[in-house]
Amino acid sequence: MPSLISLLLVFCLGAVAPVAKGDGGVHRMKLQKMPMLLDDMANDEFRSQAREQVSLHGASVDVEGWGLGMTSERIQGGHPVPLINFLNSQYFTEISLGTPKQYFNVVLDTGSSNFWVPSTSCNSIACYLHKKYDSTASSSFKKNGSEFEIYYDSGAISGIISQDVLSIGDLTIKSQDFGEALVEPGLGWAFSKFDGILGLGFDTTSVNNIVPPFINMVERKLLDKPIFSFRVGSSEEDAGEAVFGGIVDDHYKGEIHYVPVRRSGHWEVGLDSVRFGDDVLDLENTGAVIDTGYSLLGIPSDVAELINAQIGAQPSWTGQYTVECDTVPSLPDIGFKLGGRDYSLTSEDYILRVQQQCISSFQSFDSEVEQFWVLGSVFLRKYFTVFDYGSQEVGFAITARA
């Protein structure tokens, strides 16, 4: 019988496809990393219509004072909070809602835009196994009551919209709209170690047009700069940090190179080509979604099959591909060309060692509308990343290890 950890590695948050029903400063927040089931929730089609200009909740943003186009030296600073890492597969942070505070662990997900936690009114098995929000226990709760539904590969999350005070690190966002999940079907949600999801995407991809917490931070001038950054760790001892409103020098090495956002409204950049060993695949009209909520490398199924065959990976009953661990050092590198620069991963980067198994991170991922790949934590562990909302760019640099 497979271990529970093996089962957990079948589930992955990844990019999601939401469908609707019905005083300044730099702030860091605590992230914790726990086991993510590596493949169910990896199918964000990013279908929402993109905006042509940056706006917040329908209002244009005055970005003159934000220092757009600035180099990393002009936006240093922050208050780091450590991450906790389990199996290099899932990262979450502790937040609180309400008065007095009710605490939850939520995935910080650049592949989605909605924020939700389980409700005390939820009767799903997953809700019984996680912390739940109790609106009757909060004096700052405000009723909304409109319904929402978000579709993931592992099942649709549905519930009602509510409003309360959200605290993230040392930031407090009053009157934050969020989802109270009333239905969380499937074992994927039950096995997960996080309670909910806090989307870091744009409001244009948000179900019910709910303003995401990060957008509220920017709109309400809670941050020095309209950015956030991730240093994703690779061990329990060095799990990484997330920073809102700034960049920390010791999170990266060398220079940060910025790539323009390819589609307005999405943390997606142009993917010029992919190199695997000596083979190069030139691409046209293809994007790479930079997804902090996804554990693997999501690539077109035909390419995934070819690469997995080339590295000698064999499919298991879970749908994962495994390789013989003694072959890992001899496997070729893979490189992703973003903004004219090659960002490479070695076999030690893209093969996950879990207990006595070596699991390929190349996962089939097909979009019916847009052609894009998904670069999750396998990529982000090696490359420090800056998400610049003001200039609509994503910055990359080599991650500095503690």
Side-chain angles (χ1 to χ4, degrees):
M1 290 293 291
S3 69
L4 176 59
I5 290 179
S6 296
L7 290 172
L8 288 172
L9 284 172
V10 182
F11 176 88
C12 191
L13 178 56
V16 297
V19 179
K21 180 183 179 182
D23 308 288
V26 176
H27 307 266
R28 299 184 186 178
M29 55 186 296
K30 182 177 182 180
L31 296 179
Q32 295 175 300
K33 186 174 183 186
M34 294 296 290
M36 222 173 170
L37 311 173
L38 289 181
D39 78 24
D40 285 346
M41 303 184 333
N43 199 17
D44 183 1
E45 305 296 10
F46 291 103
R47 301 296 186 251
S48 299
Q49 195 72 16
R51 292 175 297 182
E52 293 301 321
Q53 60 181 13
V54 178
S55 64
L56 296 176
H57 199 31
S60 296
V61 180
D62 177 9
V63 295
E64 291 301 319
W66 293 93
L68 302 187
M70 50 200 160
T71 64
S72 60
E73 289 76 18
R74 295 171 60 188
I75 48 177
Q76 299 295 343
H79 306 280
V81 182
L83 306 175
I84 293 177
N85 177 343
F86 183 83
L87 297 182
N88 284 340
S89 59
Q90 179 182 338
Y91 299 81
F92 65 85
T93 185
E94 184 179 74
I95 59 95
S96 70
L97 282 167
T99 308
K101 294 180 176 181
Q102 302 176 42
Y103 292 92
F104 303 91
N105 295 322
V106 297
V107 174
L108 296 179
D109 180 27
T110 56
S112 66
S113 300
N114 284 87
F115 168 38
W116 61 265
V117 295
S119 169
T120 53
S121 298
C122 176
N123 294 318
S124 300
I125 294 176
C127 293
Y128 283 110
L129 298 176
H130 293 90
K131 289 171 281 188
K132 297 174 285 293
Y133 171 77
D134 184 355
S135 62
T136 65
S138 174
S139 62
S140 51
F141 161 76
K142 294 181 181 179
K143 182 178 180 180
N144 180 305
S146 60
E147 297 181 350
F148 77 93
E149 189 166 22
I150 306 174
Y151 289 93
Y152 300 85
D153 279 358
S154 57
I157 297 292
S158 61
I160 57 173
I161 302 298
S162 293
Q163 186 180 101
D164 214 328
V165 176
L166 166 64
S167 294
I168 308 176
D170 60 357
L171 284 164
T172 297
I173 306 173
K174 297 180 179 179
S175 302
Q176 173 65 52
D177 290 332
F178 66 98
E180 287 191 56
L182 301 178
V183 178
E184 289 187 48
L187 292 178
W189 298 111
F191 283 140
S192 68
K193 298 300 182 181
F194 59 89
D195 303 308
I197 297 172
L198 194 153
L200 293 173
F202 296 73
D203 49 355
T204 51
T205 57
S206 175
V207 167
N208 289 20
N209 298 314
I210 299 300
V211 182
F214 173 69
I215 303 301
N216 269 331
M217 294 178 198
V218 176
E219 184 178 34
R220 301 178 190 183
K221 301 295 184 182
L222 299 179
L223 307 176
D224 283 342
K225 305 295 177 184
I227 66 171
F228 58 91
S229 57
F230 271 82
R231 186 182 76 85
V232 177
S234 58
S235 68
E236 292 184 6
E237 296 74 23
D238 177 27
E241 295 172 330
V243 182
F244 286 94
I247 297 172
V248 178
D249 277 327
D250 58 10
H251 280 184
Y252 66 95
K253 298 183 292 185
E255 296 182 1
I256 301 174
H257 298 282
Y258 287 87
V259 183
V261 167
R262 176 174 176 259
R263 286 192 293 150
S264 179
H266 307 279
W267 293 119
E268 177 186 334
V269 299
L271 179 59
D272 305 326
S273 64
V274 176
R275 171 184 51 81
F276 189 70
D278 295 327
D279 298 323
V280 177
L281 174 63
D282 291 320
L283 300 169
E284 294 182 358
N285 299 319
T286 302
V289 174
I290 312 303
D291 194 343
T292 60
Y294 184 57
S295 298
L296 303 175
L297 300 171
I299 65 181
S301 57
D302 54 345
V303 180
E305 290 176 7
L306 287 172
I307 293 179
N308 280 321
Q310 191 166 340
I311 64 177
Q314 299 295 321
S316 66
W317 68 273
T318 64
Q320 300 166 359
Y321 281 76
T322 60
V323 300
E324 295 294 331
C325 291
D326 58 4
T327 68
V328 172
S330 64
L331 299 179
D333 294 352
I334 187 169
F336 303 93
K337 184 170 284 188
L338 309 171
R341 292 181 177 272
D342 188 79
Y343 296 88
S344 64
L345 300 175
T346 69
S347 55
E348 294 292 346
D349 296 322
Y350 65 71
I351 297 296
L352 305 179
R353 295 180 181 268
V354 180
Q355 293 180 331
Q356 298 179 350
Q357 284 189 312
C358 288
I359 301 172
S360 168
S361 64
F362 301 112
Q363 182 182 46
S364 295
F365 182 95
D366 293 307
S367 169
E368 297 176 357
V369 178
E370 291 282 346
Q371 181 71 18
F372 60 85
W373 298 38
V374 183
L375 304 183
S377 57
V378 167
F379 179 85
L380 297 173
R381 275 191 290 276
K382 186 166 185 178
Y383 295 103
F384 168 76
T385 310
V386 181
F387 298 86
D388 192 326
Y389 183 80
S391 61
Q392 299 283 282
E393 294 178 319
V394 181
F396 303 97
I398 295 292
T399 292
R401 297 299 174 199

